[in-house]
Amino acid sequence: SQKIEQNSEALNIQEGKTATLTCNYTNYSPAYLQWYRQDPGRGPVFLLLIRENEKEKRKERLKVTFDTTLKQSLFHITASQPADSATYLCALSSSASKIIFGSGTRLSIRP
Amino acid sequence: EPEVTQTPSHQVTQMGQEVILRCVPISNHLYFYWYRQILGQKVEFLVSFYNNEISEKSEIFDDQFSVERPDGSNFTLKIRSTKLEDSAMYFCASRRTDTGGSNEQFFGPGTRLTVL
């Protein structure tokens, strides 16, 4: 069955540093890989989407890489701020179908 | 900025009772979804809906569940006879159709369902 692993349940880093989150998947060939942010008690908020034929995508302080050979995505937040503290969800999908979510990495940025 | 809205924010019900969770998707979106998240667990897909019919559903979405778009703005999830294990956050999501085939979905704030 399809499986998504986000290799850290929690990540704690110093403000100003770059946070790097990892997502690995098996038994799936997604057309799209997405990253969402989720705050406690709230719904997921879309951040970035990268297609299977793209290697890297950037948006402001965010960067996503997608390696379909390794079946892995890396999500980077540069110049991290305490406001970036949240759970980040990796998600896979094909066309307009369901999104399959990972269990998330809880990121804490300490001042 | 337009957003998905959901009501109620919290629903408490007795086991065996019927509940209806309501969602208003973003107005120009045509694909609609329901997901759920049991406390401390992953967000799980329940059902997708397009052109007034279910396009895909998960194993969770059994005969106790149904969805409806009763008018041009609302999208509802009904659970006919709630069970304790239905307690979860239920998220509605919607998607545009002009995103070049991508699947960027916009989520509502969720309804917390508590079954006693």
Side-chain angles (χ1 to χ4, degrees):
Chain A
S1 63
Q2 301 153 349
K3 191 173 180 183
I4 303 174
E5 287 185 354
Q6 295 188 243
N7 70 341
S8 298
E9 279 193 20
L11 188 61
N12 192 331
I13 68 167
Q14 183 76 40
E15 181 178 7
K17 301 291 186 185
T18 296
T20 298
L21 284 62
T22 304
C23 174
N24 294 285
Y25 60 92
T26 56
N27 298 324
Y28 197 39
S29 295
Y32 311 100
L33 188 145
Q34 306 177 46
W35 285 88
Y36 285 78
R37 169 182 172 142
Q38 187 176 30
D39 291 284
R42 306 300 298 271
V45 175
F46 172 80
L47 296 175
L48 276 173
L49 176 148
I50 187 165
R51 292 176 170 80
E52 60 181 337
N53 60 350
E54 297 176 319
K55 298 292 185 188
E56 183 179 300
K57 184 74 71 75
R58 292 175 186 259
K59 180 181 177 183
E60 298 173 351
R61 293 185 296 112
L62 308 180
K63 185 177 86 171
V64 173
T65 64
F66 191 12
D67 188 326
T68 55
T69 301
L70 291 179
K71 294 186 182 293
Q72 181 181 80
S73 174
L74 299 179
F75 176 75
H76 306 271
I77 305 175
T78 58
S80 59
Q81 305 164 0
D84 295 327
S85 298
T87 296
Y88 290 86
L89 309 177
C90 174
L92 308 179
S93 65
S94 299
S95 109
S97 69
K98 64 188 178 186
I99 290 178
I100 302 170
F101 284 93
S103 53
T105 295
R106 191 172 62 253
L107 177 65
S108 297
I109 310 296
R110 59 181 185 274
Chain B
E1 185 173 329
E3 56 185 24
V4 177
T5 60
Q6 291 186 242
T7 54
S9 57
H10 191 186
Q11 175 88 49
V12 180
T13 189
Q14 295 289 325
M15 189 170 58
Q17 295 296 304
E18 174 183 287
V19 295
I20 297 176
L21 310 183
R22 290 182 168 78
C23 168
V24 179
I26 295 173
S27 63
N28 62 346
H29 287 194
L30 296 180
Y31 291 86
F32 312 118
Y33 308 83
W34 283 102
Y35 293 81
R36 79 170 186 191
Q37 186 174 32
I38 295 170
L39 187 63
Q41 297 187 23
K42 296 181 185 183
V43 177
E44 300 174 289
F45 169 79
L46 292 178
V47 66
S48 59
F49 190 86
Y50 171 71
N51 200 24
N52 284 321
E53 61 183 21
I54 290 173
S55 49
E56 188 173 2
K57 60 183 180 180
S58 72
E59 292 176 353
I60 303 167
F61 194 88
D62 61 21
D63 292 344
Q64 293 299 310
F65 291 87
S66 63
V67 289
E68 193 178 28
R69 186 148 164 86
D71 54 44
S73 60
N74 290 284
F75 180 51
T76 62
L77 174 69
K78 181 192 291 186
I79 309 176
R80 288 189 184 82
S81 178
T82 51
K83 302 188 280 283
L84 295 176
E85 54 265 38
D86 293 328
S87 295
M89 280 286 280
Y90 287 80
F91 296 109
C92 173
S94 67
R95 185 182 86 90
R96 297 179 300 192
T97 58
D98 59 348
T99 52
S102 69
N103 198 15
E104 174 186 332
Q105 296 181 17
F106 294 83
F107 284 75
T111 293
R112 180 172 299 284
L113 176 65
T114 302
V115 182
L116 302 176

